[in-house]
Amino acid sequence: LSPDCSFTCHYRCRALVRLDCSGPPGAGDEDDGTEQALEKDTNVDEPSEWEKAELDQAQVEQRIKEYNSQINSNLFMSLNKDGSYTGFIKVQLKLVRPVSVPATKRVPSLQAGRPGPRAQGVKRRTSFYLPKGTVKHLHILSHTRASEVIDALLRKFTVVDNPRKFALFERSEKDEQVYLRKLADDEQPLRLRLLAGPSEKVLSFVLKENETGEVNWDAFTLPELHNFLRILQREEEEHVRRLRHRYARCRQKMQEAL
Protein backbone atom coordinates (compact mmCIF):
# COMPACT_ATOMS: atom_id res chain seq x y z
CA LEU A 1 0.00 0.00 0.00
CA SER A 2 1.15 3.54 -0.73
CA PRO A 3 2.31 5.58 2.28
CA ASP A 4 0.08 8.38 0.99
CA CYS A 5 -3.02 6.27 1.63
CA SER A 6 -4.68 5.92 5.03
CA PHE A 7 -7.53 3.57 5.74
CA THR A 8 -9.09 1.65 8.65
CA CYS A 9 -10.55 -1.83 8.40
CA HIS A 10 -11.20 -4.97 10.45
CA TYR A 11 -8.06 -7.10 10.79
CA ARG A 12 -9.79 -10.11 9.24
CA CYS A 13 -10.75 -8.00 6.22
CA ARG A 14 -7.24 -6.66 5.61
CA ALA A 15 -6.41 -9.37 3.06
CA LEU A 16 -9.54 -8.51 1.06
CA VAL A 17 -8.70 -4.80 0.69
CA ARG A 18 -7.33 -3.76 -2.67
CA LEU A 19 -6.33 -0.11 -3.06
CA ASP A 20 -4.73 1.57 -6.05
CA CYS A 21 -2.96 4.51 -4.41
CA SER A 22 -1.26 6.66 -7.01
CA GLY A 23 -0.50 9.78 -5.01
CA PRO A 24 -1.47 12.04 -2.14
CA PRO A 25 -5.16 12.79 -1.58
CA GLY A 26 -6.50 15.38 -3.94
CA ALA A 27 -3.97 14.74 -6.71
CA GLY A 28 -5.59 14.87 -10.12
CA ASP A 29 -8.91 16.06 -8.74
CA GLU A 30 -8.92 19.55 -10.18
CA ASP A 31 -12.11 18.89 -12.09
CA ASP A 32 -13.84 17.61 -8.96
CA GLY A 33 -12.86 20.76 -7.09
CA THR A 34 -14.40 22.91 -9.78
CA GLU A 35 -17.50 20.77 -9.75
CA GLN A 36 -17.85 21.10 -5.98
CA ALA A 37 -17.39 24.85 -6.21
CA LEU A 38 -20.15 25.06 -8.79
CA GLU A 39 -22.46 22.89 -6.73
CA LYS A 40 -22.22 24.93 -3.53
CA ASP A 41 -25.30 26.85 -4.63
CA THR A 42 -26.98 23.92 -6.27
CA ASN A 43 -30.62 24.47 -7.04
CA VAL A 44 -33.02 21.60 -6.60
CA ASP A 45 -35.89 22.65 -8.81
CA GLU A 46 -39.23 21.32 -9.89
CA PRO A 47 -39.31 19.78 -13.37
CA SER A 48 -39.13 22.48 -16.06
CA GLU A 49 -41.87 23.08 -18.58
CA TRP A 50 -40.19 21.04 -21.31
CA GLU A 51 -39.83 18.11 -18.90
CA LYS A 52 -43.59 18.21 -18.27
CA ALA A 53 -44.39 18.28 -21.99
CA GLU A 54 -46.60 15.48 -23.33
CA LEU A 55 -45.78 14.21 -26.83
CA ASP A 56 -48.07 12.40 -29.22
CA GLN A 57 -46.88 9.62 -31.53
CA ALA A 58 -45.92 11.93 -34.40
CA GLN A 59 -43.99 14.26 -32.09
CA VAL A 60 -42.12 11.33 -30.56
CA GLU A 61 -41.12 10.08 -34.00
CA GLN A 62 -39.96 13.56 -35.03
CA ARG A 63 -37.98 14.00 -31.79
CA ILE A 64 -36.24 10.66 -32.30
CA LYS A 65 -35.20 11.64 -35.84
CA GLU A 66 -33.82 14.95 -34.57
CA TYR A 67 -32.02 13.23 -31.70
CA ASN A 68 -30.37 10.62 -33.95
CA SER A 69 -29.22 13.32 -36.39
CA GLN A 70 -27.41 15.20 -33.60
CA ILE A 71 -25.36 12.41 -32.03
CA ASN A 72 -21.85 11.44 -33.10
CA SER A 73 -22.02 7.79 -32.05
CA ASN A 74 -24.09 4.69 -32.73
CA LEU A 75 -26.14 5.11 -29.54
CA PHE A 76 -29.34 5.76 -31.48
CA MET A 77 -32.91 5.72 -30.29
CA SER A 78 -35.35 3.38 -32.02
CA LEU A 79 -39.12 3.63 -32.27
CA ASN A 80 -41.05 0.42 -31.70
CA LYS A 81 -44.31 -0.64 -33.33
CA ASP A 82 -46.25 -0.32 -30.08
CA GLY A 83 -45.31 3.37 -29.77
CA SER A 84 -42.57 2.87 -27.18
CA TYR A 85 -38.93 3.54 -27.96
CA THR A 86 -35.54 2.31 -26.82
CA GLY A 87 -32.22 4.06 -26.43
CA PHE A 88 -29.14 4.62 -24.32
CA ILE A 89 -28.52 6.80 -21.29
CA LYS A 90 -25.16 7.51 -19.68
CA VAL A 91 -25.02 7.59 -15.89
CA GLN A 92 -22.07 8.93 -13.91
CA LEU A 93 -21.54 7.37 -10.49
CA LYS A 94 -20.52 9.95 -7.89
CA LEU A 95 -20.64 8.00 -4.65
CA VAL A 96 -18.93 9.35 -1.56
CA ARG A 97 -19.33 6.27 0.61
CA PRO A 98 -18.07 2.75 -0.19
CA VAL A 99 -20.35 0.11 -1.65
CA SER A 100 -20.65 -3.55 -0.61
CA VAL A 101 -20.12 -6.48 -2.97
CA PRO A 102 -20.35 -10.21 -2.23
CA ALA A 103 -17.20 -12.21 -1.56
CA THR A 104 -17.14 -16.01 -1.17
CA LYS A 105 -14.42 -17.69 0.85
CA ARG A 106 -14.15 -21.47 1.07
CA VAL A 107 -13.72 -23.00 4.48
CA PRO A 108 -11.07 -25.78 4.51
CA SER A 109 -11.80 -29.19 6.01
CA LEU A 110 -11.00 -29.53 9.71
CA GLN A 111 -9.43 -32.97 9.16
CA ALA A 112 -6.09 -32.61 7.38
CA GLY A 113 -5.45 -35.07 4.57
CA ARG A 114 -9.10 -36.05 4.30
CA PRO A 115 -11.41 -34.12 1.99
CA GLY A 116 -14.58 -32.81 3.55
CA PRO A 117 -17.95 -34.20 2.49
CA ARG A 118 -18.74 -30.99 0.58
CA ALA A 119 -16.99 -27.68 0.11
CA GLN A 120 -18.73 -25.11 2.24
CA GLY A 121 -19.17 -21.55 1.03
CA VAL A 122 -19.48 -18.72 3.50
CA LYS A 123 -21.20 -15.59 2.25
CA ARG A 124 -19.17 -12.52 3.04
CA ARG A 125 -19.22 -8.87 2.06
CA THR A 126 -16.38 -6.61 1.17
CA SER A 127 -16.57 -2.86 0.68
CA PHE A 128 -14.67 -0.59 -1.68
CA TYR A 129 -14.88 2.86 -3.20
CA LEU A 130 -15.93 3.07 -6.84
CA PRO A 131 -13.37 5.04 -8.87
CA LYS A 132 -14.19 8.68 -9.41
CA GLY A 133 -15.72 9.43 -12.77
CA THR A 134 -17.11 5.92 -13.27
CA VAL A 135 -19.57 6.03 -16.17
CA LYS A 136 -22.01 3.38 -17.37
CA HIS A 137 -24.17 3.27 -20.49
CA LEU A 138 -27.52 1.52 -20.17
CA HIS A 139 -29.88 0.45 -22.95
CA ILE A 140 -33.40 1.01 -21.64
CA LEU A 141 -37.02 1.43 -22.74
CA SER A 142 -39.03 4.63 -22.77
CA HIS A 143 -41.14 3.35 -19.87
CA THR A 144 -38.14 2.24 -17.75
CA ARG A 145 -38.40 4.01 -14.40
CA ALA A 146 -35.63 5.71 -12.45
CA SER A 147 -35.86 3.07 -9.70
CA GLU A 148 -35.30 0.34 -12.31
CA VAL A 149 -32.24 2.19 -13.63
CA ILE A 150 -30.78 2.20 -10.10
CA ASP A 151 -31.44 -1.54 -9.77
CA ALA A 152 -29.75 -2.19 -13.12
CA LEU A 153 -26.67 -0.17 -12.17
CA LEU A 154 -26.28 -2.01 -8.87
CA ARG A 155 -26.57 -5.36 -10.66
CA LYS A 156 -23.92 -4.29 -13.20
CA PHE A 157 -21.44 -3.64 -10.38
CA THR A 158 -22.74 -6.54 -8.20
CA VAL A 159 -23.52 -4.09 -5.40
CA VAL A 160 -25.57 -5.74 -2.63
CA ASP A 161 -26.52 -2.55 -0.77
CA ASN A 162 -30.20 -1.68 -0.58
CA PRO A 163 -31.22 0.29 -3.70
CA ARG A 164 -33.09 2.76 -1.51
CA LYS A 165 -29.72 4.04 -0.29
CA PHE A 166 -29.17 5.56 -3.75
CA ALA A 167 -30.94 8.11 -5.92
CA LEU A 168 -30.78 9.12 -9.57
CA PHE A 169 -30.31 12.83 -10.26
CA GLU A 170 -30.58 14.89 -13.41
CA ARG A 171 -27.80 17.42 -13.79
CA SER A 172 -27.67 20.50 -16.02
CA GLU A 173 -25.41 23.51 -16.46
CA LYS A 174 -26.67 27.03 -17.04
CA ASP A 175 -25.01 30.41 -16.53
CA GLU A 176 -21.95 28.76 -14.92
CA GLN A 177 -24.12 27.13 -12.30
CA VAL A 178 -24.96 23.48 -11.78
CA TYR A 179 -28.55 22.42 -11.21
CA LEU A 180 -29.43 19.07 -9.67
CA ARG A 181 -32.84 17.50 -9.27
CA LYS A 182 -33.56 14.11 -7.74
CA LEU A 183 -35.77 12.00 -9.96
CA ALA A 184 -38.87 10.42 -8.52
CA ASP A 185 -38.96 6.62 -8.62
CA ASP A 186 -41.54 6.54 -11.41
CA GLU A 187 -39.90 9.12 -13.70
CA GLN A 188 -38.63 7.89 -17.08
CA PRO A 189 -34.99 8.83 -17.78
CA LEU A 190 -35.08 7.97 -21.49
CA ARG A 191 -38.06 10.28 -22.00
CA LEU A 192 -36.10 13.09 -20.31
CA ARG A 193 -33.12 12.29 -22.53
CA LEU A 194 -35.28 12.55 -25.64
CA LEU A 195 -36.86 15.85 -24.58
CA ALA A 196 -33.52 17.41 -23.64
CA GLY A 197 -31.59 16.18 -26.65
CA PRO A 198 -28.12 14.60 -26.63
CA SER A 199 -26.26 17.53 -25.00
CA GLU A 200 -24.70 16.51 -21.68
CA LYS A 201 -24.69 20.12 -20.49
CA VAL A 202 -28.42 20.41 -20.98
CA LEU A 203 -29.05 17.12 -19.20
CA SER A 204 -26.96 14.31 -17.73
CA PHE A 205 -27.68 11.63 -15.15
CA VAL A 206 -25.79 11.08 -11.89
CA LEU A 207 -26.13 8.32 -9.30
CA LYS A 208 -25.53 9.58 -5.77
CA GLU A 209 -26.35 8.66 -2.20
CA ASN A 210 -29.97 9.24 -1.31
CA GLU A 211 -29.66 12.18 1.08
CA THR A 212 -33.25 12.84 2.14
CA GLY A 213 -32.53 14.67 5.38
CA GLU A 214 -34.36 11.89 7.25
CA VAL A 215 -32.99 8.48 8.14
CA ASN A 216 -34.54 5.73 6.03
CA TRP A 217 -34.42 2.91 8.56
CA ASP A 218 -35.94 0.42 6.12
CA ALA A 219 -32.76 0.62 4.04
CA PHE A 220 -30.64 -1.00 6.80
CA THR A 221 -30.16 -4.68 7.48
CA LEU A 222 -31.15 -6.33 10.77
CA PRO A 223 -27.55 -6.57 12.08
CA GLU A 224 -27.05 -2.87 11.37
CA LEU A 225 -30.26 -1.96 13.20
CA HIS A 226 -29.24 -4.08 16.19
CA ASN A 227 -25.89 -2.28 16.29
CA PHE A 228 -27.66 1.08 16.24
CA LEU A 229 -29.83 -0.01 19.18
CA ARG A 230 -26.77 -1.06 21.18
CA ILE A 231 -25.08 2.27 20.43
CA LEU A 232 -28.19 4.18 21.51
CA GLN A 233 -28.38 2.17 24.72
CA ARG A 234 -24.75 2.92 25.56
CA GLU A 235 -25.22 6.62 24.85
CA GLU A 236 -28.34 6.69 27.01
CA GLU A 237 -26.59 4.91 29.88
CA GLU A 238 -23.63 7.31 29.68
CA HIS A 239 -25.96 10.33 29.64
CA VAL A 240 -27.88 9.04 32.67
CA ARG A 241 -24.61 8.37 34.53
CA ARG A 242 -23.43 11.94 33.96
CA LEU A 243 -26.76 13.38 35.11
CA ARG A 244 -26.72 11.31 38.31
CA HIS A 245 -23.13 12.35 39.00
CA ARG A 246 -24.04 16.01 38.46
CA TYR A 247 -27.02 15.88 40.82
CA ALA A 248 -25.01 13.94 43.40
CA ARG A 249 -22.39 16.72 43.46
CA CYS A 250 -25.08 19.38 43.80
CA ARG A 251 -26.65 17.46 46.69
CA GLN A 252 -23.24 17.14 48.36
CA LYS A 253 -22.57 20.88 48.07
CA MET A 254 -25.95 21.70 49.59
CA GLN A 255 -25.36 19.34 52.50
CA GLU A 256 -21.93 20.89 53.11
CA ALA A 257 -23.53 24.36 53.10
CA LEU A 258 -26.12 23.19 55.66
Side-chain angles (χ1 to χ4, degrees):
L1 296 178
S2 167
D4 299 318
C5 198
S6 175
F7 74 99
T8 303
C9 72
H10 192 272
Y11 74 97
R12 291 182 178 175
C13 303
R14 183 172 56 185
L16 301 174
V17 176
R18 296 291 184 270
L19 297 177
D20 182 14
C21 303
S22 56
D29 293 345
E30 290 83 358
D31 293 340
D32 292 338
T34 304
E35 178 85 354
Q36 292 175 2
L38 288 173
E39 290 190 4
K40 285 183 178 178
D41 297 325
T42 296
N43 291 332
V44 182
D45 299 328
E46 293 295 326
S48 60
E49 292 302 323
W50 63 266
E51 291 171 335
K52 297 178 181 178
E54 295 294 336
L55 303 179
D56 57 28
Q57 186 70 15
Q59 291 174 323
V60 169
E61 185 175 359
Q62 180 63 29
R63 289 267 188 168
I64 291 177
K65 290 181 180 179
E66 294 175 356
Y67 182 92
N68 290 340
S69 66
Q70 296 172 14
I71 62 175
N72 299 320
S73 64
N74 59 349
L75 304 180
F76 299 107
M77 289 195 188
S78 302
L79 183 63
N80 301 322
K81 293 181 179 180
D82 60 359
S84 65
Y85 49 96
T86 59
F88 293 85
I89 62 169
K90 183 175 73 173
V91 182
Q92 183 181 12
L93 283 71
K94 296 182 62 177
L95 302 177
V96 178
R97 294 189 287 270
V99 295
S100 300
V101 296
T104 303
K105 185 177 180 63
R106 294 188 178 277
V107 179
S109 174
L110 296 179
Q111 296 179 348
R114 297 179 58 184
R118 179 176 296 181
Q120 297 180 354
V122 178
K123 292 184 178 180
R124 300 175 183 271
R125 285 188 180 188
T126 183
S127 297
F128 72 100
Y129 289 90
L130 283 173
K132 292 183 179 180
T134 300
V135 173
K136 190 68 179 178
H137 286 86
L138 294 177
H139 186 254
I140 62 175
L141 295 166
S142 55
H143 57 262
T144 301
R145 299 175 299 168
S147 59
E148 295 171 327
V149 170
I150 296 174
D151 291 338
L153 287 169
L154 298 184
R155 287 196 302 270
K156 288 284 185 180
F157 291 96
T158 64
V159 175
V160 296
D161 293 306
N162 193 308
R164 296 177 68 179
K165 293 182 180 181
F166 307 92
L168 190 64
F169 289 79
E170 64 171 22
R171 177 188 182 278
S172 60
E173 298 180 23
K174 185 178 180 181
D175 300 329
E176 297 184 353
Q177 188 171 2
V178 173
Y179 295 80
L180 285 178
R181 183 178 72 88
K182 186 172 74 171
L183 299 184
D185 289 342
D186 58 350
E187 288 195 66
Q188 300 163 343
L190 189 61
R191 176 181 175 274
L192 297 176
R193 179 79 279 163
L194 177 63
L195 291 172
S199 173
E200 291 292 322
K201 286 190 175 182
V202 176
L203 174 69
S204 61
F205 296 106
V206 182
L207 183 71
K208 303 179 70 174
E209 282 86 1
N210 187 14
E211 303 291 354
T212 61
E214 297 181 358
V215 178
N216 183 15
W217 297 111
D218 293 334
F220 293 95
T221 62
L222 285 177
E224 289 174 329
L225 292 174
H226 285 305
N227 284 337
F228 292 151
L229 287 176
R230 283 194 287 268
I231 292 172
L232 288 176
Q233 182 178 359
R234 291 175 182 175
E235 291 180 351
E236 181 182 6
E237 292 173 351
E238 178 63 19
H239 187 63
V240 170
R241 186 191 65 80
R242 291 180 179 179
L243 282 176
R244 288 177 175 172
H245 180 69
R246 175 184 171 187
Y247 279 93
R249 289 189 60 185
C250 290
R251 188 178 296 107
Q252 181 183 359
K253 294 295 183 181
M254 293 178 184
Q255 290 176 349
E256 290 176 355
L258 291 172

